Amino acid sequence: AKARGRGRAELFDESLRAQLAAHSEMETALTAGLAAGELEVHYQPVVGLAAGRLEGYEALVRWNRPGVGMVPPNDFIPVAESSKLICDLDRWVLHEATRQIAAWRAEDPVAAELTVAVNVSGRHLSDPRVVQDVTDALAASGLPAELLIVEVTETVLVSEPAAFGHLVALRELGVAVAIDDFGTGYTSIGQLAGMPVDTLKIDRSFISSADSGHAELVALMIRAAHTFGLSVVAEGVEEEAQLAWLQGQACDFAQGYLLSRPLPAEAAAAAWRAALLP
Ligand code: C2E
Ligand code: CA
Ligand code: CA
Ligand code: CA
């Protein structure tokens, strides 16, 4: 029994060692890739439901890794989040996305009011540099602060004391704050009312199951959010019926594959030209 126990421990050690090696290999490659310009930002449209109009975009990072292809963020963001690398990555996305939206505004007045939402991870939001990073990106791009939205998760807001103060400072700049994946944590809308928050993004899991029992819950979330002066984005809208239902519930914005997948910058520009030009 002793020998078998040790065998298992060795097997465990080995797979753990392999995991650690894979992790550090990816961290090294990602660090180099960020410096080498291998990251790119894709843009997913966010549509205003009252007017049926393009409101703006969420910036979503991709890694175009040589020899591998387009790596989705869920495969590398967790690695970046285990070190300060996530701060460098988030900062790069912030600069790239604000630069792109500012370029579109300069190109055509119909793009003048487009917003851009950027994801900021908890680690970056807790870092005192985050306020300077946002200030720098706005200054470098010339984008008005009112057109930038910072997306954070609810757990960050309640578990990272420093994050709270940084969000207050960001809002003083004029930047809006959205709570991402709302409903997957333990925060109530009442709690959020006293927090530096402007918008709730209802997680995809609630939208996709709205027809099978979650509908009342989503309707309640929308009403409660409005009561507290928050606007609402429905994430992961994939079906026409979901969109119509959300419209009926006076949900403010929708995002999802039904409207558009995230697009490379050039394709996104073609989409806003088609959507907004007469
Ligand atoms: P998220 O912030 O919740 O972003 C929404 C994700 O849902 C995106 O996945 C988007 O492509 C996907 N999505 C949108 N509409 C639909 C739909 O109708 N159906 C389905 N099944 N999926 C939909 P993506 O781009 O793979 O990003 C995954 C996550 O990676 C993001 O989730 C976010 O947490 C993180 N992420 C992406 N870019 C960044 C970034 O620049 N910085 C940080 N810190 N995290 C990022
Ligand atoms: Ca997001
Ligand atoms: Ca989300
Ligand atoms: Ca997420």
Side-chain angles (χ1 to χ4, degrees):
K2 212 170 185 178
R4 248 177 57 207
R6 197 171 52 212
R8 232 177 288 149
E10 274 165 9
L11 213 67
F12 177 73
D13 274 359
E14 212 162 285
S15 87
L16 192 65
R17 235 190 325 273
Q19 271 178 46
L20 288 171
H23 181 106
S24 85
E25 186 264 345
M26 180 175 271
E27 195 178 313
T28 305
L30 184 58
T31 304
L34 177 60
E38 291 169 16
L39 296 195
E40 54 185 80
V41 178
H42 286 196
Y43 297 87
Q44 185 174 36
V46 177
V47 172
L49 293 183
R53 241 178 56 124
L54 180 65
E55 174 73 9
Y57 291 97
E58 178 174 0
L60 294 158
V61 73
R62 271 98 182 89
W63 179 14
N64 197 352
R65 191 175 180 185
V68 177
M70 208 60 91
V71 186
N74 287 335
D75 290 0
F76 64 87
I77 290 287
V79 171
E81 279 178 336
S82 68
S83 78
K84 286 256 179 203
L85 178 55
I86 191 64
C87 300
D88 298 334
L89 189 153
D90 277 353
R91 186 181 310 112
W92 181 82
V93 173
L94 199 51
H95 275 263
E96 176 56 21
T98 52
R99 183 202 63 74
Q100 182 62 79
I101 298 293
W104 287 339
R105 298 182 80 227
E107 187 185 322
D108 199 305
V110 293
E113 300 305 318
L114 291 178
T115 59
V116 65
V118 175
N119 293 283
V120 174
S121 102
R123 190 159 185 147
H124 190 204
L125 192 69
S126 308
D127 189 319
R129 263 193 74 179
V130 72
V131 180
Q132 193 59 51
D133 287 341
V134 171
T135 306
D136 289 348
L138 292 172
S141 63
L143 188 75
E146 289 67 30
L147 297 178
L148 178 63
I149 301 155
V150 160
E151 295 195 2
V152 302
T153 56
E154 50 190 300
T155 42
V156 171
L157 201 54
V158 293
S159 65
E160 308 268 357
F164 192 98
H166 298 154
L167 288 179
V168 171
L170 289 176
R171 282 175 98 223
E172 277 165 6
L173 294 176
V175 173
V177 173
I179 299 298
D180 208 351
D181 308 337
F182 183 76
T184 58
Y186 296 95
T187 321
S188 71
I189 291 173
Q191 255 175 299
L192 290 177
M195 295 199 172
V197 171
D198 302 280
T199 301
L200 285 192
K201 297 192 76 172
I202 300 179
D203 190 67
R204 186 172 82 221
S205 57
F206 291 92
I207 304 304
S208 58
S209 59
D211 42 355
S212 58
H214 275 136
E216 275 311 307
L217 190 54
V218 174
L220 201 65
M221 284 182 189
I222 295 170
R223 263 178 291 152
H226 286 166
T227 301
F228 290 114
L230 304 172
S231 64
V232 180
V233 182
E235 295 195 281
V237 176
E238 293 184 348
E239 292 163 18
E240 210 60 75
Q242 293 166 349
L243 191 66
W245 183 82
L246 288 162
Q247 228 152 1
Q249 297 299 321
C251 182
D252 306 281
F253 306 104
Q255 191 180 341
Y257 291 170
L258 174 71
L259 299 156
S260 170
R261 292 196 172 244
L263 303 166
E266 267 322 297
W272 67 249
R273 287 184 192 108
L276 292 176
L277 288 174

